Amino acid sequence: MNRLQNRTRVLVLLVAVLLLGAVGTGAVLRAADRTARRDQDQPGGPAVTEGTVTLGDPAGGRRLVFRNMAWGPHRDELTAVPADRPDGPRTASGVRCLRFYAAAGTGICLQAQHGALEDTYRAVVLDDHLRERRAFPAAGIPTRSRVSPSGHLAAWTVFVSGDSYAGTDFSTRTSIVDVRDWNLRENLEEFAVVKDGKPYQAHDVNIWGVTFADDDAFYATLATGGRTYLVRGDLAARTLTTLHENVECPSLSPDGTRIAYKKRVPGLSADAPWRLYVLDLATMTETATAEQRNIDDQAVWSGRGDLLYALPGDYGADLWTVPADGSGAARRVTEAALAPAYQG
């Protein structure tokens, strides 16, 4: 009897192992099939062709450069379209970025390097022909990037732990590099904080989402004590001064007078807490935009008083626009796109 029971147990164990193996094999095959389909053009997607993409003042007029999210051989590559025809055919550069921004002929490209056991990341400074000038190791998952209007400074933020801003269990690291002499401020948390007019120190200070005013002054988000603040940074003095509460991922307008940002609105879901607002820096008056959906992005100013930002889409993300003054309505600009930057 015992021998029969042992045989039965062995048989059950063998069947269980075979079933687990079949499930694992099926999962691997499904993942491989999905990866293969991602590398193939899909019907109905945007037209993407290989070509030359440059930064700065391109010939042929103002352009919009962004990460192409459409499935196909050019997925994740930087692509360019005419700014007045953002849903038109895309020119693919061959350069892949998870996050990207550019100004005045300087680009910052946050990349993943896929390893056998784990991925690593790096921040790559690009020239106006998207050639690598210098790369820096990044401590975690890329999330935000910006370049100063002059092209002299580049900033990036990565998640050191966690992968979302929605909760509180995350930590970021934000760096700024001067591309003229490669002076790197590796961690802005080392800057002195002035909160409510007084020096402030705390173990939970967290900085992310730089936007530049010039080659010395910038704005960013500071989090501490369960709250977020808009801070004005001074590179020379190495200080961060709080200006306004409940501001995340700020974006400075071209004329330097307003900040677009995502604001946590009471009563919304903890997983989708943000709405897109604009802050007048002279009066500290807040204006809600007409966009009523959750925004988890650092908006870009179009230069005509409109904001450009990403929302989830069929291919991962689509780009949408809305007036910054609270008027009008949100509309989709183009599908399958992320991390935009206007050039020219």
Side-chain angles (χ1 to χ4, degrees):
M1 189 68 170
N2 289 337
R3 184 177 299 175
L4 179 61
Q5 289 177 337
N6 289 338
R7 288 178 179 175
T8 302
R9 290 178 183 142
V10 170
L11 181 60
V12 170
L13 179 61
L14 180 60
V15 171
V17 169
L18 290 173
L19 286 174
L20 287 174
V23 170
T25 300
V28 170
L29 290 175
R30 283 194 298 274
D33 178 66
R34 181 174 176 82
T35 299
R37 286 189 292 113
R38 283 162 62 102
D39 292 336
Q40 298 173 359
D41 290 324
Q42 301 297 308
V48 186
T49 56
E50 186 175 350
T52 300
V53 175
T54 59
L55 305 177
D57 292 324
R62 194 165 182 247
R63 301 182 72 77
L64 184 63
V65 180
F66 52 80
R67 173 186 170 190
N68 172 53
M69 301 290 288
W71 286 7
H74 301 292
R75 182 177 170 87
D76 296 329
E77 291 183 19
L78 296 180
T79 54
V81 294
D84 59 354
R85 290 188 290 117
D87 58 347
R90 303 175 180 183
T91 301
S93 67
V95 177
R96 284 185 163 85
C97 303
L98 298 179
R99 284 285 173 175
F100 166 78
Y101 197 75
T106 296
I108 182 68
C109 170
L110 306 185
Q111 296 180 333
Q113 294 181 299
H114 302 294
L117 298 178
E118 62 179 359
D119 292 345
T120 58
Y121 304 94
R122 64 179 194 153
V124 182
V125 177
L126 304 173
D127 69 10
D128 60 347
H129 284 77
L130 300 183
R131 294 172 300 211
E132 181 177 322
R133 295 186 61 192
R134 185 165 295 195
F136 300 88
I141 301 171
T143 175
R144 302 287 181 251
S145 59
R146 278 296 188 267
V147 175
S148 65
S150 67
H152 293 159
L153 301 174
W156 59 91
T157 297
V158 300
F159 283 116
V160 177
S161 65
D163 58 3
S164 171
Y165 293 105
T168 57
D169 187 21
F170 71 88
S171 177
T172 62
R173 180 168 298 170
T174 297
S175 306
I176 295 178
V177 66
D178 190 323
V179 305
R180 294 168 295 184
D181 59 9
W182 304 112
N183 180 15
L184 176 66
R185 287 82 166 182
E186 189 172 3
N187 188 356
L188 295 189
E189 293 173 21
E190 298 172 355
F191 282 27
V193 176
V194 179
K195 182 176 176 289
D196 301 325
K198 301 177 181 178
Y200 177 82
Q201 290 183 323
H203 71 280
D204 66 345
V205 167
N206 214 5
I207 311 294
W208 69 85
V210 165
T211 182
F212 290 101
D214 52 40
D215 286 346
D216 187 59
F218 63 92
Y219 297 89
T221 295
L222 180 148
T224 184
R227 298 182 177 183
T228 61
Y229 301 87
L230 174 69
V231 292
R232 183 177 174 89
D234 187 315
L235 278 179
R238 295 177 62 85
T239 58
L240 300 166
T241 303
T242 61
L243 300 177
H244 196 74
E245 193 172 339
N246 196 5
V247 173
E248 298 183 53
C249 299
S251 179
L252 184 65
S253 62
D255 64 4
T257 64
R258 293 179 291 173
I259 291 278
Y261 63 103
K262 61 181 195 180
K263 174 182 177 177
R264 291 179 185 263
V265 176
L268 297 181
S269 165
D271 295 327
W274 299 292
R275 293 295 182 266
L276 186 60
Y277 275 70
V278 174
L279 178 70
D280 186 304
L281 289 172
T283 65
M284 291 296 162
T285 301
E286 297 180 328
T287 299
T289 68
E291 175 56 81
Q292 295 299 305
R293 291 165 294 182
N294 184 65
I295 302 296
D296 185 9
D297 196 16
Q298 188 172 16
V300 170
W301 291 79
S302 72
R304 294 185 293 272
D306 295 330
L307 301 172
L308 191 64
Y309 50 93
L311 283 171
D314 291 341
Y315 296 92
D318 298 335
L319 293 180
W320 290 72
T321 188
V322 72
D325 62 4
S327 66
R331 63 178 179 85
R332 191 170 69 173
V333 169
T334 189
E335 65 178 342
L338 184 67
Y342 286 99
Q343 301 298 295

